[in-house]
């Protein structure tokens, strides 16, 4: 029993080491894209912090979602955040599953390059919309009478740049159209729908996205329009941005098809192709036929040309 456990542990360790090596090679090639995506997450937080200074509380706008869905109340508002946290953490863990599980289909670095590209494009549009018009926030801390509804003038730039994390992120106001929670939720669900292998999880993901939408409105974090706009905007962004990327390689194919060929391999391949060309073989595998040379003439399949035969008196 102990021998079996030790053998399986050894296999798992080798798998992890192999996966780490592959992902490090990919990270060396794509770190700029990942860094740019992460930096923009800070820029997005900075923009949301900035619009909070512009927010002015007022009467809550008429909203069909507020009429149809009962208000959860301040005490139960955590339900929406709890579901979002579950979706977020589940997706993050799934992107790292190739390090442990045998049934690998994705590369972690490449998946996050795509995900961050979807997030950046969606968040860029979001920044434009919520700076265009500031609506009175429906959230409890954004209503009239709340001290957090409008931020006092900052004493220094550092106060703005540090975002007052995490309190400033949780208790933000003014960044309404469209919902940031739905951006992350829809990007994650669409990504798993395309690259995930469990059909029931794909269906569950879409169900949770719908439930998340209802909870956001019921907890009065956003107006219904914020959620509706997120649904069609994010899906369109992912659809068009995804077309700009080459298709993600399947893990069933060899790693060599994804990773760049080393200089040594390139030189060896070039010499081999030149050798074939000098011997009368083309680089096309379909044209690699046996050829010989007779009296300086290239002959296919060992049959000499009639012109050579006549010149030699045969």
């Amino acid at each position: 029993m102990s021998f079996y456990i030790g053998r399986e542990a050894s296999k798992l360790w080798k798998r992890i080491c192999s996966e780490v090596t592959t992902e490090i090679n990919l990270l060396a090639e794509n770190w700029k894209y990942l860094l740019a995506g992460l930096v923009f997450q800070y820029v997005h937080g900075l923009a949301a912090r900035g619009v909070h200074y512009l927010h002015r509380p007022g009467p809550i706008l008429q909203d069909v979602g507020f009429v149809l869905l009962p208000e959860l109340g301040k005490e139960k508002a955590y339900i929406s955040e709890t579901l979002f946290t579950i979706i977020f953490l589940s997706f993050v863990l799934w992107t790292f599953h190739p390090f442990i599980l045998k049934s690998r289909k994705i590369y972690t670095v490449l998946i996050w390059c795509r995900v961050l590209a979807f997030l950046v494009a969606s968040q860029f549009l979001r920044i434009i919309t919520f700076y265009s018009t500031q609506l009175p926030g429906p959230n409890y801390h954004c209503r009239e009478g709340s001290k957090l509804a409008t931020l006092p003038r900052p004493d220094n730039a550092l106060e703005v740049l540090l975002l007052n994390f995490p309190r400033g992120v949780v208790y933000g106001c003014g960044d309404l159209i469209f919902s940031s929670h739905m951006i992350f939720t829809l990007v994650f669900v669409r990504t798993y729908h395309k690259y995930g292998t469990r059909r029931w999880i794909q269906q569950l993901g879409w169900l949770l996205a719908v439930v998340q939408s209802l909870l956001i409105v019921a907890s009065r974090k956003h107006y219904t329009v914020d959620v509706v706009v997120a649904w069609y905007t994010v899906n369109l962004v992912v659809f068009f941005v995804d077309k700009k990327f080459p298709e993600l390689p399947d893990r069933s194919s060899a790693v060599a098809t994804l990773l760049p060929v080393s200089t040594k391999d390139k030189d060896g391949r070039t010499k081999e192709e030149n050798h074939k060309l000098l011997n009368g073989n083309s680089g096309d595998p379909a044209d690699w036929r046996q050829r010989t040379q007779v009296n300086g003439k290239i002959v296919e399949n060992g049959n000499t040309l009639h012109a050579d035969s006549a010149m030699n008196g045969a």
Side-chain angles (χ1 to χ4, degrees):
M1 184 66 179
S2 59
F3 173 76
Y4 174 79
I5 295 175
R7 185 179 64 180
E8 291 301 316
S10 177
K11 289 181 180 179
L12 177 61
W13 176 247
K14 290 180 180 178
R15 188 181 309 128
I16 293 175
C17 291
S18 175
E19 195 66 28
V20 168
T21 302
T22 301
E23 295 292 344
I24 288 177
N25 290 332
L26 291 173
L27 183 61
E29 295 179 9
N30 300 282
W31 67 270
K32 295 180 180 179
Y33 306 110
L34 293 174
L35 180 61
L38 293 175
V39 169
F40 194 85
Q41 300 309 301
Y42 170 75
V43 173
H44 174 259
L46 193 64
R49 175 72 172 176
V51 80
H52 195 168
Y53 289 100
L54 303 176
H55 177 257
R56 295 294 179 269
I60 298 177
L61 303 179
Q62 183 176 352
D63 190 284
V64 65
F66 294 175
V67 175
L68 297 177
L69 295 174
E71 188 172 354
L72 289 178
K74 188 182 297 186
E75 295 76 15
K76 297 182 180 179
Y78 70 90
I79 298 177
S80 174
E81 289 297 326
T82 301
L83 178 59
F84 176 76
T85 303
I86 292 173
I87 295 173
F88 187 94
L89 294 179
S90 298
F91 180 81
V92 172
L93 291 176
W94 171 74
T95 60
F96 284 92
H97 83 275
F99 288 87
I100 299 177
L101 301 181
K102 291 182 179 180
S103 57
R104 302 183 297 264
K105 187 180 178 182
I106 62 170
Y107 292 93
T108 303
V109 169
L110 297 184
I111 275 288
W112 277 107
C113 283
R114 297 175 98 87
V115 167
L116 287 172
F118 301 151
L119 293 177
V120 167
S122 300
Q123 290 168 335
F124 178 76
L125 295 176
R126 180 174 188 261
I127 292 173
I128 294 176
T129 55
F130 67 62
Y131 265 104
S132 299
T133 303
Q134 289 86 49
L135 303 178
N139 211 336
Y140 307 107
H141 62 270
C142 299
R143 299 175 183 179
E144 290 182 298
S146 174
K147 295 180 180 180
L148 300 175
T150 302
L151 292 179
R153 189 180 184 87
D155 297 328
N156 51 64
L158 193 61
E159 181 181 338
V160 180
L161 295 176
L162 292 180
L163 306 179
N164 191 21
F165 187 84
R167 184 178 178 84
V169 176
V170 176
Y171 293 100
C173 297
D175 56 328
L176 293 175
I177 300 177
F178 42 95
S179 171
S180 179
H181 284 64
M182 290 309 302
I183 290 178
F184 281 90
T185 299
L186 291 172
V187 166
F188 291 167
V189 170
R190 280 192 63 101
T191 302
Y192 185 85
H193 183 83
K194 183 173 183 179
Y195 298 108
T197 56
R198 305 281 184 174
R199 184 174 178 82
W200 68 272
I201 298 181
Q202 295 172 346
Q203 296 172 343
L204 177 62
W206 287 112
L207 176 61
L208 292 179
V210 173
V211 174
Q212 177 73 76
S213 303
L214 299 176
L215 288 176
I216 288 175
V217 176
S219 60
R220 304 301 189 255
K221 295 180 183 298
H222 281 276
Y223 292 105
T224 305
V225 65
D226 304 339
V227 175
V228 172
V229 171
W231 267 92
Y232 63 74
T233 302
V234 175
N235 279 292
L236 287 174
V237 166
V238 173
F239 176 77
F240 285 107
V241 173
D242 192 50
K243 283 183 172 292
K244 300 296 182 180
F245 286 96
E247 186 52 49
L248 191 68
D250 196 314
R251 292 305 301 265
S252 59
S253 60
V255 177
T257 60
L258 174 70
L259 300 180
V261 182
S262 64
T263 306
K264 182 177 179 181
D265 294 338
K266 288 182 178 179
D267 294 341
R269 182 179 296 179
T270 303
K271 291 180 180 179
E272 182 180 354
E273 292 176 351
N274 290 337
H275 180 70
K276 291 177 180 178
L277 291 173
L278 289 174
N279 286 309
N281 291 336
S282 67
D284 186 1
D287 198 32
W288 289 353
R289 294 166 293 187
Q290 185 64 34
R291 300 184 180 188
T292 57
Q293 283 186 320
V294 179
N295 295 330
K297 299 291 183 179
I298 297 176
V299 185
E300 296 185 6
N301 299 327
N303 296 323
T304 59
L305 300 174
H306 293 293
D308 293 335
S309 300
M311 290 177 64
N312 291 318

